[in-house]
Amino acid sequence: MLRWALIFAVVALVAGFLGFGGIAGAAAGVAKILFFLFVVGFLVFLALGLMAGKRLSGR
């Protein structure tokens, strides 16, 4: 998901540089959404991993 966010960010930068404002805005919006979904997923899996690690170690 992070890879797609970076791809859309690059597309937005290139489109903005070439003067395609509508496409640049749309690609930047998609990149933001994908990035925040990645961050939320990362935090959820990090918390799950920490809880599972505590159960395995017996603490």
Side-chain angles (χ1 to χ4, degrees):
M1 194 174 317
L2 185 58
R3 178 183 290 172
W4 282 105
L6 291 173
I7 290 171
F8 276 105
V10 170
V11 168
L13 288 173
V14 171
F17 179 72
L18 295 175
F20 299 107
I23 295 172
V30 171
K32 284 181 192 178
I33 291 170
L34 288 175
F35 178 74
F36 287 122
L37 285 175
F38 168 77
V39 169
V40 168
F42 173 76
L43 292 175
V44 167
F45 282 113
L46 180 66
L48 290 173
L50 290 174
M51 287 189 290
K54 286 181 183 178
R55 283 191 189 150
L56 291 176
S57 65
R59 292 183 188 187

